[in-house]
Amino acid sequence: MPLHMMLKKKHLSAGRVPLILFLCQLISALDVPLDLVQPPTITQQSPKDYIIDPRENIVIQCEAKGKPPPSFSWTRNGTHFDIDKDPLVTMKPGSGTLVINIMSEGKAETYEGVYQCTARNERGAAISNNIVVRPSRSPLWTKERLEPIVLRNGQSLVLPCRPPIGLPPAIIFWMDNSFQRLPQSERVSQGLNGDLYFSNVLPEDTREDYICYARFNHTQTIQQKQPISLKVISVDELNDTIAANLSDTELYGAKSSKERPPTFLTPEGNESHKEELRGNVLSLECIAEGLPTPIIYWIKEDGTLPVNRTFYRNFRKTLQIIRVSEADSGNYQCIAKNTLGAVHHTISVTVKAAPYWIVAPQNLVLSPGENGTLICRANGNPKPRISWLTNGVPIEIALDDPSRKIDGDTIIFSNVQESSSAVYQCNASNKYGYLLANAFVNVLAEPPRILTSANTLYQVISNRPALLDCAFFGSPMPTIEWFKGTKGGALHEDIYVLHDNGTLEIPVAQKDSTGTYTCVAWNKLGMAKNEVHLEIKDPTRIIKQPEYAVVQRGSKVSFECKVKHDHTLIPTIMWLKDNGELPNDERFSTDKDHLVVSDVKDDDGGTYTCTANTTLDSASASAVLRVVDVPNPPFDLELTNQLDKSVQLTWTPGDDNNSPITKFIIEYEDAMHEAGLWRHQAEVSGTQTTAQLKLSPYVNYSFRVMAENSIGRSMPSEASEQYLTKAAEPDQNPTAVEGLGTEPDNLVITWKPLNGFQSNGPGLQYKVSWRQKDGDDEWTSVVVANVSKYIVSGTPTFVPYLIKVQALNDVGFAPEPAAVMGHSGEDLPMVAPGNVRVNVVNSTLAEVHWDPVPPKSVRGHLQGYRIYYWKAQSSSKRNRRHIEKKILTFQGSKTHGMLPGLQPYSHYALNVRVVNGKGEGPASTDRGFHTPEGVPSAPSSLKIVNPTLDSLTLEWDPPSHPNGILTEYILKYQPINSTHELGPLVDLKIPANKTRWTLKNLNFSTRYKFYLYAQTSVGSGSQITEEAITTVDEGKKAGILPPDVGAGKGKEEWRKEIVNGSRSFFGLKGLMPGTAYKVRVGAEGDSGFVSSEDVFETGPAMASRQVDIATQGWFIGLMCAVALLILILLIVCFIRRNKGGKYPVKEKEDAHADPEIQPMKEDDGTFGEYSDAEDHKPLKKGSRTPSDRTVKKEDSDDSLVDYGEGVNGQFNEDGSFIGQYSESRPGNEQRWKLCGQEMEARTMGISSTNRNWRRTLDLNQEKNALCLMTSATPPVLQTTQVIVMNLEGSFKD
């Protein structure tokens, strides 16, 4: 009976494990009340990437809760941050939030760095993320001279933006000088990089103020690039004389303006690659040029674009996929088409992923002695690395906790005590980011408490879910039950939903759900209960909805809204306009069911919504009000009072459509210079119908007028008649005048030419003048036309010049221009830098110094110095193979620089050259230097060969980068058991000339992990690891054979036990009563594997209610027969005992000390023990197995021990016992203990005539144990396998 109880407890314990783990997770989801002792929890912190405004104080947040209240500390850049030493830094009282006062003094850049907060109390320490603090930056655009661009009609164009790099990145947009956004279309659009792309240009694209703006939102600043001038001309408009004077360089580009098939402006080539992170927005862009304008199409090769996540931007030139995932990787193809052809581009997309949670660790509350787990499971691409910390310290170096065991991404706690309380941190990281989560383990013993207020009243609308709260806490985890009313049992999940947090859900509440509900929470420390009340109400409905209406301005409109509701609820009727409050206007009036708008105005149009609100629900209905419209266009335009520089325009207004015209807008077209392009001329009041307009010389004017009211602007009127003004001399000169040489002996003068409107007359030309700045020469002048540059030849090298460009036409000259300074062309520098010096900083870094060259020898604008360096010789390999030279350029007049990324233990050479706008000067004399030794890389390979029972041989290749002279190898190894726990670590030092090593005296069939390092005089390099297993003894194999298909009620797993080949029996424990099992006994030896099998059934379970059979007649007769049989057997036994003497088996036992009863250990093949926890008596001298316990008579009255000593006797085919008896001796008793005393049950022999093995089955007390006996196996066999399979259910152990 004690054995029966022990097995039953084990079964229950095993069955409770999933439940215990589940309940632990439930507890982890609960908040510990703040009046109970608990470790710190971070409740608020600044973002990981924290960009601050340098104009404001820096506030780095860190808030935490816990009991006792936690104390706070900070680290900055990995070291302790002592705030007491910095008068500008303070910590908020009762908080960890830092306030850095940089408003009064100090700079934000001083406090740039990585910060981490720690909240600590007696129960543990929680840490924040690494908070990277950086001040925002909004740099200015670099100054540059932008040349005017002249293009033929139909050519393609890209206007570069190239904004300054700020933090965070700027938002780019294009506007004109009037801060009006430039219109964009399928032909003209802005790319993702900020550039402005023209698929083909038209004359209306001509303008002088293409301006790129960069807006930095963080600092609320906008930076502006210098304006870009573009002029589009038609080749047909140029006569042959003008065209002959144009060189190829004077027009931007050289493509023909004829129609052409598409080509891509961006991206370049036929293929490109894009990498994006999971969860971000994937943006793919294709912009093409061509004439006619191409149309862009998108497809995904071998797939379809995701629905509801795909959007097209920028006139379908940009494809965006939001919330991108790994499934979105693949090839995307953009196709540009026009009437002349099509072109394709394939973008290969790879989606990577920063770590993201699969299972984030949750707070764990346990009572003393309980078990639990913390799980930290994350994914990413590449796969993130999981590391654990405890109280902010890596768990590998933290204090050991016997209740804690780490298994990869899981920490398993068993039999926890109060000292097990701590805060654990899980860090999941890869190259794209990291996740950090705090989760505490709090060991408490608390009776249940219900946190929901008592007698809470819940009111719910009929046919909706009802949720009754029962927030609770307790440790161990309380069990929650709900009751309705004062009578009846607990509520079950056939009608109700019982949530893990204690909430009771009624999925569809009805009128009969009204009543009082009681929540009961209990655990082993106590019980608590709470009552709540539920009432069910009728829903609110709108039975008469407002209707759509169209009205004229000034009229009246009415909307109706009738509501039906529960009589106990008082509804509130609210009217909204466009989801906002009604205008504060007396024209709007409401009563119980109506909204009336009087004297409707144009801006009264919109969506009006009637909303009926109660304390429990709401209902709404909407209707649209439309008020029309913008004015009709003006007509009957007439020009009068036509003068040289003015004209009077008169018009007739169109219908204002019930909205007064507020103003008229007048535009003009210059048919001579900019045909088809309308520009703003003037604006007048909406009450005027005449305007006096100022005009410019030599312009062929046409005018049109638009009317505007509060609704919008009308369509343009018909154009007026044309009016050509007289010519006059220019009133302005070209801008952007610049002089810059392209060769050592020339000066190229460029300028931005005047457009046709600015010419003021025919015959526009330019007078170009120049002279040396430092000389007394007279001005040299030349007059040119239809060009924007002039080249002066024969100039000295790099000499400053004064330059002027003056406009003139057939009427006269423009005002005298101001002179600007330029330079003639540069030439290569003449002198090499001298006194080159090298200071080796460490094994990978060197600092180079040199003397500057004389300024006159530069012969141009000094751009900097350039260092060429190369690895001349390896100090370890001693070879002189050619290595490509590397180049570093240092801007300006710097005379020193750093060379990073050098190879340790190597010989380098370098030289220095000066650089100007023309190129490099001569090189300095080569200067050599040596880098010192460094730590080596990991060995190139590691493999394990020739495994034996107790040895392994390791072979490896030396490091690919020794970075010095190897002094030795360090080999560390440790065993790994079946539960993946690491054993003790063994260190070995191996000479540097060895690449093979054999480890002996290892345990057989054991996995080992090896760590191999190489070492120089500087230190150890990185490691290479490998695992290997020693070979298995062929006589000691273990495993589980697969079950026969179709056996029992389902396909079950075989359980396999390994038995010493000399034994002929084995006991099976942990079986289920009344269950059929299939048993297979197999032997494995030199001749292979042979087996036989049979099916048996365990006895039925004891009924819970037994009939008193002591009064049954059949039972009395059976007992009499059994008593008689026992008496006869005792007499026979007594007679045979009196014969005395030894039997052969006894002599064999004396010689061999019963080895057959000793079980085999699976790990090392030695013999183990059969014992229990109650008695451990030693065996007689010479025995290798300690005794278990003697058979107690009262434990098994019907045991086979009473019929003979030992288990060497056998049952023959009909079930009778055969054997030789002798006096009682410990060896014989040990034999039976394996099948009889270990089970402590009565047994009965049942034979099977078709198998070469025997079985006995307990039919009385023990229903979950078997004793199997087999006949002796042939000597050639080494191992006997006993395999049992439950034919009706899963195997129970």
Side-chain angles (χ1 to χ4, degrees):
M1 190 64 181
L3 177 62
H4 173 72
M5 293 302 295
M6 179 186 71
L7 293 176
K8 184 175 181 181
K9 289 179 180 178
K10 182 178 181 181
H11 170 68
L12 291 175
S13 176
R16 287 173 54 195
V17 170
L19 178 62
I20 292 174
L21 297 178
F22 177 67
L23 293 181
C24 290
Q25 294 303 318
L26 293 186
I27 294 177
S28 70
L30 301 179
D31 285 333
V32 181
L34 283 176
D35 62 330
L36 296 179
V37 176
Q38 57 185 289
T41 300
I42 300 289
T43 58
Q44 191 174 8
Q45 57 182 309
S46 294
K48 293 180 182 178
D49 192 7
Y50 187 22
I51 299 176
I52 61 171
D53 191 338
R55 301 168 300 183
E56 299 176 358
N57 287 338
I58 304 172
V59 178
I60 310 176
Q61 292 184 331
C62 179
E63 305 290 340
K65 65 178 182 179
K67 185 172 183 182
S71 60
F72 297 87
S73 61
W74 285 85
T75 62
R76 178 169 178 255
N77 297 329
T79 60
H80 176 67
F81 184 38
D82 191 349
I83 63 175
D84 295 331
K85 293 183 178 180
D86 193 335
L88 301 182
V89 182
T90 58
M91 186 182 295
K92 291 185 177 180
S95 164
T97 298
L98 293 183
V99 178
I100 304 175
N101 183 9
I102 62 172
M103 297 292 290
S104 58
E105 58 180 301
K107 294 183 178 180
E109 291 79 9
T110 306
Y111 295 95
E112 188 173 355
V114 181
Y115 293 78
Q116 189 173 47
C117 170
T118 301
R120 186 184 308 274
N121 67 10
E122 64 186 31
R123 288 246 161 173
I127 62 176
S128 70
N129 292 321
N130 285 328
I131 302 170
V132 181
V133 176
R134 296 182 295 170
S136 62
R137 291 184 288 272
S138 52
L140 297 175
W141 238 291
T142 56
K143 293 184 178 181
E144 56 182 337
R145 292 179 180 270
L146 300 178
E147 296 295 326
I149 299 173
V150 180
L151 286 178
R152 295 185 182 94
N153 185 14
Q155 289 184 263
S156 63
L157 173 65
V158 180
L159 295 182
C161 179
R162 294 193 286 270
I165 299 175
L167 185 69
I171 298 173
I172 306 301
F173 52 93
W174 288 80
M175 297 198 301
D176 59 16
N177 274 329
S178 302
F179 296 97
Q180 299 297 314
R181 284 186 178 269
L182 298 176
Q184 298 189 22
S185 62
E186 291 179 340
R187 186 179 62 85
V188 182
S189 61
Q190 177 181 316
L192 294 176
N193 63 353
D195 293 349
L196 191 62
Y197 293 83
F198 295 74
S199 296
N200 51 77
V201 295
L202 298 176
E204 55 260 34
D205 296 326
T206 298
R207 64 190 310 141
E208 298 179 355
D209 55 350
Y210 285 95
I211 304 175
C212 183
Y213 290 84
R215 183 174 69 226
F216 298 90
N217 286 343
H218 206 278
T219 55
Q220 300 180 349
T221 58
I222 296 179
Q223 306 293 355
Q224 171 185 338
K225 184 183 178 75
Q226 291 184 355
I228 301 175
S229 174
L230 169 64
K231 180 178 181 181
V232 180
I233 61 176
S234 172
V235 177
D236 296 335
E237 297 174 356
L238 301 176
N239 57 43
D240 295 337
T241 303
I242 297 176
N245 292 331
L246 292 176
S247 65
D248 291 340
T249 60
E250 289 166 338
L251 289 177
Y252 188 91
K255 290 187 179 179
S256 170
S257 60
K258 297 181 180 179
E259 291 188 347
R260 59 191 181 277
T263 57
F264 283 114
L265 296 173
T266 182
E268 298 178 353
N270 297 325
E271 296 179 350
S272 59
H273 182 265
K274 174 79 172 181
E275 183 175 290
E276 192 53 80
L277 289 183
R278 176 182 182 271
N280 288 351
V281 177
L282 172 65
S283 295
L284 305 179
E285 181 182 65
C286 282
I287 301 178
E289 65 92 21
L291 191 64
T293 301
I295 304 299
I296 304 295
Y297 302 90
W298 292 90
I299 61 173
K300 183 180 182 183
E301 299 179 4
D302 301 326
T304 58
L305 296 174
V307 181
N308 300 327
R309 294 193 295 114
T310 301
F311 301 91
Y312 298 98
R313 311 292 188 202
N314 197 18
F315 309 98
R316 296 185 66 89
K317 299 175 186 178
T318 301
L319 171 70
Q320 286 188 345
I321 301 178
I322 63 174
R323 302 186 302 276
V324 68
S325 66
E326 289 85 348
D328 295 321
S329 296
N331 292 330
Y332 292 77
Q333 191 175 98
C334 61
I335 306 165
K337 289 184 179 180
N338 67 7
T339 56
L340 299 182
V343 64
H344 303 71
H345 183 91
T346 300
I347 305 175
S348 175
V349 174
T350 303
V351 179
K352 299 292 186 178
Y356 57 92
W357 291 122
I358 297 177
V359 179
Q362 302 291 329
N363 291 338
L364 192 59
V365 179
L366 301 172
S367 64
E370 280 191 316
N371 305 329
T373 59
L374 283 180
I375 300 176
C376 176
R377 202 157 290 154
N379 202 357
N381 186 9
K383 186 76 175 177
R385 176 181 176 271
I386 303 294
S387 59
W388 288 97
L389 300 89
T390 176
N391 296 327
V393 178
I395 203 164
E396 294 83 0
I397 62 175
L399 294 177
D400 189 34
D401 185 352
S403 66
R404 177 184 68 213
K405 183 175 74 173
I406 303 173
D407 186 8
D409 58 10
T410 303
I411 300 181
I412 303 172
F413 298 91
S414 57
N415 192 25
V416 298
Q417 302 302 321
E418 184 174 346
S419 60
S420 302
S421 297
V423 182
Y424 291 84
Q425 290 83 30
C426 173
N427 184 297
S429 60
N430 65 14
K431 63 186 290 186
Y432 298 105
Y434 73 94
L435 293 173
L436 177 67
N438 290 275
F440 64 64
V441 175
N442 197 14
V443 181
L444 296 173
E446 286 291 325
R449 61 170 72 179
I450 295 180
L451 308 178
T452 301
S453 301
N455 295 313
T456 301
L457 174 62
Y458 292 92
Q459 294 180 328
V460 178
I461 297 298
S462 176
N463 294 322
R464 295 187 181 180
L467 298 173
L468 308 183
D469 293 332
C470 183
F472 65 91
F473 182 79
S475 183
M477 176 74 173
T479 300
I480 304 298
E481 290 181 317
W482 280 91
F483 301 87
K484 182 181 180 183
T486 57
K487 298 181 180 180
L491 304 181
H492 299 290
E493 296 205 20
D494 50 351
I495 300 176
Y496 304 92
V497 178
L498 304 177
H499 290 278
D500 299 337
N501 62 358
T503 297
L504 175 67
E505 178 182 353
I506 306 173
V508 182
Q510 304 291 342
K511 287 289 187 179
D512 59 1
S513 301
T514 300
T516 299
Y517 293 77
T518 303
C519 168
V520 178
W522 57 271
N523 64 13
K524 65 181 182 181
L525 300 179
M527 182 189 74
K529 66 179 181 178
N530 185 39
E531 288 186 351
V532 297
H533 309 282
L534 176 64
E535 293 180 356
I536 307 300
K537 306 293 183 181
D538 291 328
T540 302
R541 296 183 294 119
I542 296 178
I543 58 177
K544 178 64 175 176
Q545 298 184 357
E547 297 178 349
Y548 173 80
V550 178
V551 298
Q552 292 289 331
R553 179 182 180 275
S555 59
K556 181 179 179 180
V557 66
S558 176
F559 295 104
E560 184 179 10
C561 180
K562 289 188 177 180
V563 179
K564 184 178 180 180
H565 56 90
D566 189 282
H567 69 281
T568 63
L569 301 176
I570 301 176
T572 301
I573 307 300
M574 179 182 297
W575 286 90
L576 304 174
K577 179 180 182 293
D578 298 330
N579 294 323
E581 295 182 358
L582 291 176
N584 186 17
D585 194 327
E586 61 184 7
R587 298 181 298 109
F588 293 82
S589 61
T590 60
D591 58 20
K592 180 179 179 182
D593 298 323
H594 292 83
L595 166 66
V596 178
V597 183
S598 303
D599 188 21
V600 174
K601 298 182 181 298
D602 295 315
D603 53 4
D604 293 337
T607 300
Y608 290 82
T609 303
C610 165
T611 302
N613 294 308
T614 68
T615 55
L616 299 182
D617 67 343
S618 66
S620 63
S622 299
V624 174
L625 172 64
R626 182 182 173 208
V627 182
V628 291
D629 195 4
V630 298
N632 293 340
F635 56 95
D636 287 344
L637 274 65
E638 183 181 3
L639 297 177
T640 59
N641 297 334
Q642 298 177 355
L643 303 176
D644 290 346
K645 293 189 177 182
S646 68
V647 71
Q648 181 173 290
L649 175 65
T650 303
W651 64 91
T652 301
D655 191 338
D656 65 2
N657 291 326
N658 296 320
S659 179
I661 296 175
T662 57
K663 63 181 177 180
F664 292 98
I665 298 95
I666 304 169
E667 295 182 336
Y668 75 92
E669 176 196 28
D670 179 4
M672 181 184 300
H673 303 106
E674 297 177 332
L677 180 62
W678 291 90
R679 295 186 179 274
H680 182 271
Q681 173 74 25
E683 292 182 4
V684 297
S685 169
T687 60
Q688 292 183 225
T689 58
T690 301
Q692 191 74 23
L693 306 178
K694 293 183 178 181
L695 306 178
S696 295
Y698 199 59
V699 176
N700 194 7
Y701 283 99
S702 294
F703 299 96
R704 69 183 186 183
V705 182
M706 291 174 286
E708 185 174 294
N709 63 11
S710 59
I711 303 302
R713 182 176 296 184
S714 72
M715 297 294 292
S717 69
E718 296 290 336
S720 72
E721 61 178 309
Q722 292 185 349
Y723 175 55
L724 177 63
T725 57
K726 292 183 179 181
E729 67 274 1
D731 52 18
Q732 57 181 307
N733 286 301
T735 59
V737 178
E738 185 179 38
L740 182 66
T742 58
E743 298 294 338
D745 60 349
N746 76 2
L747 171 67
V748 179
I749 302 173
T750 59
W751 60 90
K752 179 182 178 181
L754 302 181
N755 58 33
F757 187 84
Q758 297 168 330
S759 65
N760 288 0
L764 176 64
Q765 295 178 304
Y766 303 100
K767 178 183 178 182
V768 184
S769 305
W770 68 92
R771 70 176 178 84
Q772 288 192 23
K773 177 178 179 294
D774 298 328
D776 297 330
D777 297 343
E778 296 293 330
W779 288 93
T780 303
S781 299
V782 66
V783 177
V784 295
N786 300 316
V787 294
S788 60
K789 73 176 181 180
Y790 182 80
I791 301 176
V792 181
S793 302
T795 63
T797 301
F798 198 62
V799 172
Y801 277 83
L802 294 178
I803 302 166
K804 294 188 296 184
V805 179
Q806 184 179 23
L808 67 151
N809 60 17
D810 292 347
V811 179
F813 284 84
E816 183 70 19
V820 298
M821 190 176 75
H823 282 83
S824 58
E826 300 180 74
D827 204 349
L828 294 177
M830 301 172 58
V831 178
N835 194 21
V836 178
R837 308 172 300 282
V838 181
N839 176 31
V840 178
V841 179
N842 55 40
S843 61
T844 62
L845 182 67
E847 183 176 17
V848 183
H849 291 259
W850 60 89
D851 292 344
V853 300
K856 290 186 177 181
S857 69
V858 176
R859 297 202 294 180
H861 296 286
L862 175 64
Q863 294 187 356
Y865 291 87
R866 189 168 293 160
I867 299 178
Y868 286 75
Y869 65 101
W870 60 95
K871 187 176 177 183
Q873 180 181 359
S874 171
S875 300
S876 58
K877 296 183 179 180
R878 299 296 181 183
N879 60 354
R880 294 184 176 271
R881 61 185 180 91
H882 173 73
I883 294 180
E884 183 181 355
K885 294 183 178 180
K886 297 181 181 179
I887 303 173
L888 279 179
T889 302
F890 299 91
Q891 302 294 331
S893 57
K894 291 187 64 174
T895 58
H896 67 278
M898 306 297 288
L899 301 183
L902 302 178
Q903 183 74 30
Y905 201 60
S906 300
H907 178 68
Y908 280 87
L910 61 82
N911 58 51
V912 185
R913 314 173 191 209
V914 66
V915 182
N916 64 11
K918 188 69 175 177
E920 299 176 351
S924 66
T925 305
D926 289 353
R927 178 72 62 182
F929 64 94
H930 290 269
T931 54
E933 285 191 85
V935 297
S937 62
S940 300
S941 66
L942 173 62
K943 60 182 179 180
I944 287 81
V945 298
N946 301 331
T948 66
L949 282 174
D950 62 350
S951 69
L952 292 171
T953 298
L954 284 70
E955 293 183 353
W956 61 89
D957 293 324
S960 58
H961 298 289
N963 295 337
I965 300 175
L966 297 183
T967 58
E968 62 185 359
Y969 290 98
I970 299 177
L971 175 64
K972 300 180 181 181
Y973 64 93
Q974 57 190 149
I976 307 174
N977 63 16
S978 59
T979 61
H980 305 289
E981 293 177 322
L982 297 175
L985 196 64
V986 180
D987 289 8
L988 289 178
K989 292 186 178 180
I990 301 174
N993 59 351
K994 297 288 186 180
T995 58
R996 179 184 177 97
W997 196 264
T998 299
L999 299 174
K1000 299 181 180 179
N1001 299 323
L1002 304 177
N1003 295 330
F1004 69 84
S1005 187
T1006 301
R1007 178 177 292 276
Y1008 285 87
K1009 186 167 186 178
F1010 300 92
Y1011 314 84
L1012 184 64
Y1013 309 76
Q1015 186 164 319
T1016 65
S1017 60
V1018 177
S1020 297
S1022 51
Q1023 67 181 17
I1024 185 172
T1025 63
E1026 188 58 81
E1027 295 185 12
I1029 307 176
T1030 52
T1031 56
V1032 182
D1033 189 338
E1034 290 299 325
K1036 304 175 178 61
K1037 292 183 179 178
I1040 296 179
L1041 295 178
D1044 291 339
V1045 177
K1049 294 182 179 179
K1051 184 177 180 180
E1052 301 292 334
E1053 294 293 329
W1054 286 93
R1055 175 181 176 180
K1056 182 165 71 176
E1057 299 286 347
I1058 305 300
V1059 184
N1060 194 325
S1062 62
R1063 293 182 55 186
S1064 60
F1065 61 88
F1066 188 77
L1068 299 177
K1069 300 182 293 182
L1071 308 183
M1072 297 184 64
T1075 304
Y1077 287 84
K1078 178 182 288 186
V1079 178
R1080 178 182 299 167
V1081 179
E1084 184 179 24
D1086 297 336
S1087 61
F1089 182 89
V1090 294
S1091 66
S1092 61
E1093 64 182 40
D1094 202 350
V1095 177
F1096 66 87
E1097 183 174 354
T1098 55
M1102 296 290 290
S1104 59
R1105 296 183 180 179
Q1106 297 183 358
V1107 179
D1108 187 4
I1109 63 174
T1111 61
Q1112 302 296 314
W1114 63 269
F1115 179 78
I1116 297 174
L1118 178 61
M1119 290 298 99
C1120 293
V1122 171
L1124 180 60
L1125 178 60
I1126 292 174
L1127 180 61
I1128 295 173
L1129 290 175
L1130 288 175
I1131 294 173
V1132 173
C1133 183
F1134 178 77
I1135 294 173
R1136 299 195 62 171
R1137 279 177 176 270
N1138 288 338
K1139 291 183 179 182
K1142 291 187 178 180
Y1143 52 93
V1145 177
K1146 173 172 168 51
E1147 296 173 353
K1148 181 179 178 181
E1149 291 172 347
D1150 291 341
H1152 299 288
D1154 306 325
E1156 60 270 25
I1157 69 170
Q1158 301 180 18
M1160 297 169 60
K1161 294 184 179 179
E1162 293 183 357
D1163 54 353
D1164 59 4
T1166 61
F1167 294 104
E1169 304 177 354
Y1170 283 89
S1171 65
D1172 62 13
E1174 296 181 9
D1175 188 13
H1176 297 282
K1177 297 181 179 180
L1179 286 174
K1180 63 185 179 180
K1181 183 177 181 181
S1183 174
R1184 297 177 59 189
T1185 304
S1187 172
D1188 287 336
R1189 55 182 175 182
T1190 59
V1191 178
K1192 299 180 181 179
K1193 191 71 175 180
E1194 61 272 21
D1195 291 341
S1196 182
D1197 295 332
D1198 212 7
S1199 173
L1200 289 178
V1201 178
D1202 294 335
Y1203 296 92
E1205 298 79 23
V1207 292
N1208 277 359
Q1210 299 181 357
F1211 291 95
N1212 61 15
E1213 291 296 322
D1214 61 0
S1216 60
F1217 187 81
I1218 60 175
Q1220 297 168 300
Y1221 297 83
S1222 67
E1223 61 185 6
S1224 176
R1225 36 193 312 275
N1228 295 331
E1229 291 176 359
Q1230 295 298 329
R1231 284 208 171 102
W1232 173 239
K1233 284 180 182 178
L1234 297 179
C1235 287
Q1237 178 185 352
E1238 183 70 14
M1239 307 250 177
E1240 296 186 27
R1242 299 180 180 89
T1243 59
M1244 172 179 179
I1246 300 177
S1247 66
S1248 177
T1249 59
N1250 61 346
R1251 294 287 185 269
N1252 190 27
W1253 50 282
R1254 309 293 184 266
R1255 61 181 180 177
T1256 61
L1257 181 62
D1258 172 14
L1259 294 180
N1260 189 5
Q1261 293 184 0
E1262 188 55 43
K1263 304 303 183 233
N1264 57 355
L1266 286 175
C1267 176
L1268 294 181
M1269 305 188 66
T1270 66
S1271 60
T1273 57
V1276 70
L1277 299 181
Q1278 299 173 349
T1279 304
T1280 302
Q1281 298 178 341
V1282 181
I1283 306 166
V1284 61
M1285 174 184 170
N1286 182 348
L1287 299 185
E1288 295 183 2
S1290 60
F1291 185 86
K1292 301 292 184 178
D1293 185 8

